[in-house]
Every structure is written in C-alpha cells, then in structure tokens.
Amino acid sequence: MLSPSINVANSLLAQAFNEILRLDSYSISASGTTIGVLVKDPDWLAPVRNRVGMLGQAGAKWIEDKPSVWGPVLTQFSNYGSAFAGVADAKATTSDQWIKLLKEVLLSQLNKSIDTTNIAATALQGHYQAFKNIQPLLESSINAGWAELQDEEQQMVKIAAQLTRLEDLVGSLQDSITAGDISTGQSVVTTTVKTLYNVATGVGESFSFLGMAAAAFTVGKFYYDIITKTAAVGETLQQIAKLQIEASEEAQAAAGTKLVLRLLYNLELTFGRIVDVMPQIVTMWSTERDKVQQAIQALQAGADPATYFDIFTIPIANANWQAISKFAIAIPATKTTVGPPVTLDPQHPIAT
C-alpha cells in the first residue's frame, strides 16, 4: 500500500515534537542562565561565566532557527497529503495515466520531502555540534575550580549530587505528549520553573549566585500542583541548604556550576535523540518513494492497474495520508495553557 501505518507515522512525529519541546526548554534555560560574582571572585569562575555565555548564545541560535528547521518537516506531510488526494481524485484508468500521475505528482513531491527533511537533519546536526563544541570548554573551566578546592571536594560532591537529584525529580514529574494527546486536542500545560541557587553565608542568609529558568510540560494538569505535593522535592531542597552551610562560598559556587554542566549534558542528549529521529522520518519518506517507483515499474512492465494492489488500494492509502496530514497540522496548533510558575530555592525549601 502506498502509505505508512498511521500509528508509525504519528508516533514518529509525536516523538520528534516531544524532543523539540525539550530542546526549546533547555535552550531557553541556557539563554537565561546567569552566574553571579563572589565577594572574593576566584580566577576560575570568570571563564565559567564566559562559557555559560557561549552556551546561552547557542541556545538562542536554536530558538531563532527552529521555525525554519522544524516547520518544513511538518509541512511535507500536508503537502504530500494534498498531492495524494489529487491523485486519488484523478480517476485514472489506463497504465499510462497512472504512470504519469505517480511520476509527476507523487514521486516529485516525495523527492522534495526527502530533500527538505535531510536539510532539516543537517541543520539539527549543526546545532548539536555547536553545543558539543562548548562542552569540553565548560568542563575544563569547571574542573579547574574543583581542582583548586580539593580539600572540600567531598562536600562539593554531596551538594552536586543533591542538585542532580533535584533536576531528575523536576524532569520525572513532567509528561511526554503522546500521539493520542495531540489527536484529541489535549491542552499542554507549560510551566516556568525557576531554580535559584544562592550562596549561603549563614543560617537563613545568602546572596544571589546562580539562576536558571526552564519550561516544564504536563497534559491536562498543572505542574505546580504536582511538584508542590511531591515531598521528595522539598526534602531535597532542605538537604542542599544544609550541605551548603557546611561548605565555603567558593565550594558552594563550584558545586553549583555542575548544575550548568548537567544542563549542557541534557541539551546534548535531547539533540542526540532528535538527530536520531530525523533520519527515521527520512527513511519513512524513502520507503514511500520506493513503493511508488516499484508501482511505476510494475505498470510499465504490463501490470493491470485495475488489479494491481498498490493502485487498487489508493483510496485506503489516501485515507491514511489524510489522517497523517491532519495529525502533522495539529502539532503546531496544539493548545498550550500557561500554568502557575514554580520557584525552587534551597534557601526557601518549599517549592512555590
């Protein structure tokens, strides 16, 4: 049949959509990450700030380029759906008529879809590489700080471990948006989650050092309600605050920079997944092109269009393509609700 499975196509698109949302969230977070100055600012911290700035620029570049990368990938589905509908309505009867339609309409559009999706995949790879190039630089500057504070390494490791746990909790409480959610028009709730990591100077006293803001996604419920009712979040915040009091200001700063490094790792992982999904979409288009070429060859060899399976089932394939096209159109039209913001601050351990 001259169409893929509706479920397979929609699942691929839903997977890509989820990764795009995560990329947006991490990129916005990278752009909005700020690192303050300590009273006695160590030499290693200036390069960290500089490279966090580079990370922010890379994140901003993705946000700027996203419409021209992601939009055309979705447009190919509606374009091909329209082309296929035209073929299905053409009422061709002879082999020559079918060959002309398959070549000039379907094959032409499939080649465009493959080329366009490959261009998007290449653009994504470029953004992926931009973040990868920053990783060793940021790691080097952060590791320099840790090397200077070897006497406090054990305490820094404990703080960094709890910060990692906090980020894992934030991620685990979010929803993946399923193909069913998109098809049924479920509202996606996007929530701004701001993480404040202040350097503690005493019990109940601190000054601003690291600020990060990201987006959390849920379906049909507020992320605020979920996170404020999750005891593990408050417990983790309390543990971070307790550990900070036991460390010097510089050690607290060094531990906090690991949170930025974790952001970069998550960005890379998400880019890696979307970079993997795009070739799968290309493969789907290539498979459809192979089917059309085989149908052309069969008709040229004398197959009867009235009984040839791929021609006989054109109406069914058309129904499939219209469903897939409708799904692709629904993705950018997904309803978005803004939920109450959440602030995570170890110095004020109850998520608000």
Side-chain angles (χ1 to χ4, degrees):
M1 188 182 302
L2 300 183
S3 71
S5 159
I6 295 175
N7 289 337
V8 169
N10 288 1
S11 293
L12 266 180
L13 286 171
Q15 180 184 349
F17 180 48
N18 274 284
E19 301 308 333
I20 289 290
L21 287 178
R22 290 188 180 95
L23 272 182
D24 288 352
S25 176
Y26 289 134
S27 294
I28 291 169
S29 186
S31 302
T33 296
T34 57
I35 293 184
V37 178
L38 299 183
V39 176
K40 295 181 179 179
D41 209 45
D43 291 340
W44 62 266
L45 197 50
V48 172
R49 276 193 291 270
N50 177 263
R51 286 155 187 180
V52 167
M54 293 169 61
L55 182 63
Q57 291 171 3
K61 182 60 176 170
W62 161 251
I63 297 299
E64 178 186 344
D65 290 352
K66 171 195 164 183
S68 62
V69 175
W70 175 233
V73 173
L74 294 176
T75 301
Q76 298 316 302
F77 288 88
S78 55
N79 287 350
Y80 192 69
S82 297
F84 207 98
V87 170
D89 292 340
K91 310 300 181 187
T93 55
T94 68
S95 292
D96 287 344
Q97 289 172 333
W98 277 113
I99 290 169
K100 183 179 177 65
L101 286 170
L102 295 178
K103 277 186 175 181
E104 296 182 3
V105 182
L106 296 190
L107 202 56
S108 173
Q109 184 56 52
L110 284 165
N111 285 329
K112 290 179 184 176
S113 296
I114 291 168
D115 291 344
T116 299
T117 310
N118 272 325
I119 289 170
T122 300
L124 277 165
Q125 187 65 49
H127 283 281
Y128 181 44
Q129 191 60 49
F131 284 101
K132 283 186 71 68
N133 291 343
I134 297 168
Q135 179 182 325
L137 300 175
L138 191 54
E139 282 183 332
S140 174
S141 56
I142 289 173
N143 289 340
W146 279 59
E148 286 187 14
L149 297 160
Q150 290 182 8
D151 292 346
E152 294 190 81
E153 184 175 6
Q154 186 176 3
Q155 193 67 13
M156 292 189 300
V157 168
K158 290 179 181 178
I159 297 172
Q162 291 300 315
L163 287 169
T164 296
R165 181 169 187 260
L166 178 64
E167 189 169 4
D168 288 342
L169 281 168
V170 170
S172 69
L173 296 173
Q174 297 185 60
D175 291 330
S176 288
I177 301 161
T178 67
D181 293 332
I182 297 168
S183 295
T184 57
Q186 287 283 342
S187 179
V188 175
V189 182
T190 178
T191 301
T192 299
V193 180
K194 188 169 186 178
T195 301
L196 301 178
Y197 179 75
N198 297 335
V199 169
T201 57
V203 178
E205 298 178 357
S206 64
F207 63 87
S208 178
F209 175 67
L210 173 64
M212 301 173 69
F217 299 96
T218 48
V219 178
K221 54 187 177 293
F222 286 133
Y223 183 76
Y224 178 90
D225 294 336
I226 299 170
I227 199 166
T228 53
K229 293 175 182 176
T230 303
V233 174
E235 292 167 1
T236 304
L237 289 169
Q238 289 175 350
Q239 185 64 21
I240 293 168
K242 179 182 176 182
L243 291 168
Q244 283 185 259
I245 292 296
E246 300 168 1
S248 69
E249 293 179 10
E250 191 173 339
Q252 291 178 59
T257 56
K258 289 289 188 180
L259 195 59
V260 180
L261 204 54
R262 182 67 183 274
L263 168 67
L264 179 54
Y265 293 153
N266 285 334
L267 261 168
E268 284 194 38
L269 286 172
T270 301
F271 261 116
R273 285 191 289 265
I274 189 67
V275 165
D276 288 342
V277 172
M278 284 298 167
Q280 294 179 56
I281 297 175
V282 172
T283 297
M284 189 205 73
W285 285 123
S286 296
T287 300
E288 294 308 308
R289 181 173 64 181
D290 291 345
K291 291 179 188 177
V292 171
Q293 289 173 332
Q294 289 167 9
I296 292 170
Q297 291 168 3
L299 293 171
Q300 288 173 333
D304 183 356
T307 58
Y308 186 67
F309 180 77
D310 282 347
I311 301 300
F312 182 75
T313 57
I314 285 281
I316 300 172
N318 183 46
N320 288 351
W321 276 115
Q322 299 319 304
I324 295 167
S325 174
K326 181 180 178 182
F327 183 83
I329 292 170
I331 288 176
T334 300
K335 291 185 295 184
T336 301
T337 303
V338 178
V342 172
T343 299
L344 302 173
D345 181 357
Q347 303 307 313
H348 299 87
I350 299 174
T352 58

